[in-house]
Amino acid sequence: MSKLTEYYKSLNPLHLFIFGTVFMLLARTSNGNFAFEISCLFASLILYILALAKYIKK
């Protein structure tokens, strides 16, 4: 298994939610940089979905 997979398995859904919130805050602070804002929002959406999937799987 890769180190990234092992790290993901060790994370708790709350950690993923917090990381998603950090990306959401980064998107809010981007001043006119549309590409950065969209990429941060997309990253936060992915992290929220991963957190939800991990929470449901428990």
Side-chain angles (χ1 to χ4, degrees):
M1 254 190 307
S2 71
K3 290 185 179 186
L4 185 61
T5 307
E6 291 174 11
Y7 180 67
Y8 171 72
K9 286 186 177 183
S10 72
L11 283 178
N12 157 348
L14 181 62
H15 294 136
L16 292 170
F17 184 77
I18 290 170
F19 292 152
T21 305
V22 167
F23 276 108
M24 186 70 74
L25 291 173
L26 275 174
R28 295 269 309 177
T29 60
S30 67
N31 294 329
N33 191 347
F34 186 69
F36 181 71
E37 182 179 357
I38 293 299
S39 62
C40 283
L41 290 175
F42 189 65
S44 66
L45 178 67
I46 290 172
L47 286 169
Y48 288 153
I49 290 171
L50 285 174
L52 182 64
K54 218 172 155 102
Y55 181 74
I56 289 172
K57 204 174 193 182
K58 259 188 176 180

